[in-house]
Structure formats: structure tokens, C-alpha cells
Amino acid sequence: MKNELNFHQANFEKPLLIVDSPGRVNILGEHTDYNGGTVLPFAIHKKTQLIFSLSKDSSHAYSHFHQEKFELAKEPASNHWGRYIVQALHELQKEGHCVPPFNLSICGDLPIGQGLSSSTALTCGLLAGLNHLNSLGLTKNQIVKLSSKAEHASGTLGGIMDQTAILYGQKGHFLEIDCLTKTVQAHLHELQNSEWLLINSMVNHELSGSEYNDRRKDCDDGLQLIKEKTSTDIGYTDLTAAHLQYFEEEQKRLSLRIKHFIEEQKRVQHALGALAKNEPKKLGKLLTQCHKSLSENYEVSTPEIDFLVASLIQTPNVYGARMIGGGFGGSVLALVNKNQSQTVLRQILPKYFKAFKHEAQGFVCYPCDGLKIRPYEKDSF
Ligand code: GLA
């Protein structure tokens, strides 16, 4: 961080503020948040860091990840990293907030495009930083909303899980977020004999945004069909397995998407029980079942991710594993016996390299505090 702070001072002005915006993992409840499901994420120790200073002329952002400076008054290309920032600024403006010119450096150790929510860490970090610098008076919930709108405008119609985990994360706790009522509960999370191992596949699918939006549409079409067949105004959280009877053979795809939602909601409830009683075997099984459904019913996995999960669950000391996040590449989360992650990685990573010629990376993760804002004091770095 010292180098990035010096870089900021040399290229812009003296830093004023630093925001640490963490990534997140989700224990269970994948691809359900945008349909009002319940999800169980926690913020992790890897984070995107944003360094802010004021500017005398126009606003700029420099990304250490891309080693590129971007002028924020310009219109970014639809796949440029700057689009998240520009869209978040538009959303602020639409709400009547006017922010004076600023300079921003983006750095940190949260991998980009690995399903750990790096883009949301960026928009939440930006909004929280500008909120603090300019005393805009935004609440956490307003930041969740603005970040979510910015993400939609950037092309992905995501839910509120990532923003909520990043802003409300608490050390030693996982969150239970009811995305229908938008309520958040923090539960103490102390795994006694197991740990969470994350593996980044180092593969990411270019079309993930549009495929993600297609899944949402499939769900909406599926729900609409059930509403018509039952002549009711039923919602997602009222659905049961009995509703799957209304789909014809040619509507199989929609029925599989809805099946995933119904079963995943059940798995979340079972996982809450397993977490409360510290039952890693039961929890691991639920993770692996979730993966099967994401791969076969929701069709958001890839050969690389399926390979990692299949290899992990055959490895001693692994209770279960699944892809996390939006999918189409990214990361796998595994529940592993305590202090066995390095042994597991030594078995998995060479196999993965041999099969796909990608160097996957793995690390243990644990629940950490959410987003933090610190004023810059030179001597503290
Ligand atoms: C992405 C989205 C989230 C959520 C997950 C899948 O991370 O941003 O809102 O839908 O995918 O669970």
C-alpha cells in the first residue's frame, strides 16, 4: 500500500482518505438474491482499496490492476473497468448529489473477475468514500441501492447480496440476508474443526453479464407461467416443488431454473441448522448439492469449475465444494478439515494445471469486517 500511496501523491495530490472494501463469499443461497431468496454471505480479508484526494480540475481514476488512468468525464467502453465508477457517479447525480472533482487510485489484493465481487467492492468503496469526503449523508442502505443501480446500468442485473455483505460484514460472523424483506442478521460463525478454502480458477467468461441476465429472465418467465396456470399472483418465495408440474417438456429450461430456486431455499434453511450445530459433514453435503444444481439446473458452471469441484470432493479432508458468485468461471469454495487446506491444494492444483494449463490459486478465508474508511495519516503506513 505504501507504494500506491506514494504513487498517488506523486501523480495526483496528497491522499485524504483510504477505503478498504472487502470481497465476499456466500455459504449458500446462490442465484436467489434477485428473486427475494435468503443468502448467507460473509465479507473476506481480501479487499479493493481506494485512495482519494481532491482535484483542482477534472476527476480521474487510476487502476493499479490495469495500470491505466481514466478521466471520469469520458464515456467508457461497455467492457472498460471505469464504467462502474462512471455509472456510480451518474447514480449519485440522479439523486441530486453533486461531488467536487476528485482523484482516485484503486489497488488491493482482491482478485478481479473471480466471483468474489470485485466490481461491487469498487462501487461501494467509491460511494462510501465520496459520501464521507463530501458529507453527503448517505446511509448504508442508500449505498446498497446506488451501487446496485450502477451495476445494472453497467450491464449486469444483479441482486443486493454483494453490496449488503460488503457494507454489513462483521468479523467472526456470517450474514443471513432476507432479500425479500431486505433484513440482515449477523450470526456468530466459529467453525470448530473445519475451515473455508477458496480456489480461484483464473478463468472468467467474457459473456457472464448477458448470461446472468438471461438466467434472471428465465426465472421471471417461469414464474409468469406458474402465475397464469394457477391464476394466482404467487411470488418466488411461495413456490414449492408441486408448482413444477405446470411446465411442459418444451419448457424444461424454465422449470430447471425454478427448481434450483425452490431447492436452494431449502438448502439455505438446512445450512442454517448445520451452521448453528457445527456440523461440517452436513454443511459440506449441502454445498456439493448446490453445485450440482448450479451446474445442471442453472447451467452457470464451466468445465474448469466442475473439474475443481469434482476433484475436491474426492480429496480426503474435504467436506464439500461448490462454485460461488454469478458463475461462468471464477472461484470455488470448499469446506475443509481445519489446517488441511495446504495439503488439499497440493493435491488439487497440479491436477488442475495438467487438465487446463491454468495456475489456480487457493487461500483460506474467514469472516471479516465490512467496508472501512480511514483518514490518511502519513506515518501510519
Ligand atoms: C453475483 C451478483 C449477486 C448474486 C450472485 C449469485 O455476484 O452480483 O447479486 O446474484 O451473482 O448468487
Side-chain angles (χ1 to χ4, degrees), residues 117-328:
S117 214
S118 57
S119 48
T120 310
L122 176 59
T123 51
C124 285
L126 174 83
L127 291 163
L130 292 175
N131 185 33
H132 189 94
L133 266 184
N134 303 292
S135 307
L136 302 179
L138 298 174
T139 62
K140 281 187 187 181
N141 281 351
Q142 283 171 311
I143 295 178
V144 168
K145 238 192 193 163
L146 288 170
S147 156
S148 173
K149 283 185 176 175
E151 205 160 285
H152 287 203
S154 307
T156 307
L157 303 173
I160 57 158
M161 170 172 74
D162 302 349
Q163 290 83 353
T164 311
I166 289 167
L167 286 155
Y168 286 87
Q170 268 185 46
K171 190 175 170 189
H173 293 71
F174 72 89
L175 303 180
E176 176 185 354
I177 309 171
D178 179 332
C179 299
L180 188 66
T181 57
K182 300 198 169 51
T183 45
V184 188
Q185 277 182 73
H187 298 283
L188 202 60
H189 185 41
E190 286 168 347
L191 291 172
Q192 276 155 17
N193 298 311
S194 50
E195 60 194 19
W196 292 112
L197 170 64
L198 246 185
I199 303 185
N200 300 336
S201 69
M202 306 308 272
V203 174
N204 200 13
H205 198 295
E206 271 295 303
L207 291 172
S208 54
S210 60
E211 298 249 20
Y212 181 101
N213 298 345
D214 289 347
R215 296 304 179 277
R216 269 198 88 152
K217 181 162 187 317
D218 283 351
C219 290
D220 289 345
D221 291 348
L223 181 68
Q224 186 56 32
L225 189 145
I226 294 171
K227 282 183 176 177
E228 282 163 18
K229 295 267 170 138
T230 56
S231 308
T232 57
D233 192 22
I234 195 166
Y236 280 103
T237 51
D238 306 314
L239 294 174
T240 67
H243 290 108
L244 297 174
Q245 67 177 302
Y246 295 112
F247 292 94
E248 311 283 340
E249 190 48 38
E250 61 273 21
Q251 293 148 344
K252 181 101 197 250
R253 196 184 74 239
L254 305 189
S255 103
L256 290 176
R257 309 300 193 232
I258 296 288
K259 183 169 186 259
H260 170 77
F261 180 84
I262 296 168
E263 293 179 353
E264 186 71 352
Q265 285 281 91
K266 280 201 189 135
R267 281 189 285 272
V268 166
Q269 292 313 314
H270 291 306
L272 281 168
L275 283 157
K277 293 191 217 137
N278 221 310
E279 296 175 324
K281 258 194 189 161
K282 195 168 160 194
L283 191 55
K285 249 193 197 156
L286 292 165
L287 290 187
T288 307
Q289 284 169 3
C290 166
H291 183 77
K292 192 169 159 42
S293 178
L294 287 168
S295 180
E296 294 172 11
N297 298 332
Y298 226 70
E299 298 177 281
V300 289
S301 189
T302 60
E304 292 88 349
I305 296 286
D306 284 344
F307 178 92
L308 280 171
V309 170
S311 311
L312 277 161
I313 59 177
Q314 283 162 18
T315 305
N317 291 306
V318 177
Y319 290 109
R322 71 177 194 84
M323 58 149 275
I324 53 161
F328 312 104

Side-chain angles (χ1 to χ4, degrees), residues 71-82:
E71 190 182 338
L72 297 177
K74 289 198 174 139
E75 198 55 50
S78 63
N79 59 353
H80 191 271
W81 57 269

Side-chain angles (χ1 to χ4, degrees), residues 77-97:
S78 63
N79 59 353
H80 191 271
W81 57 269
R83 72 189 186 280
Y84 295 109
I85 303 175
V86 170
Q87 293 303 346
L89 290 173
H90 281 171
E91 293 306 327
L92 267 183
Q93 270 160 15
K94 278 200 228 159
E95 295 282 315
H97 298 291

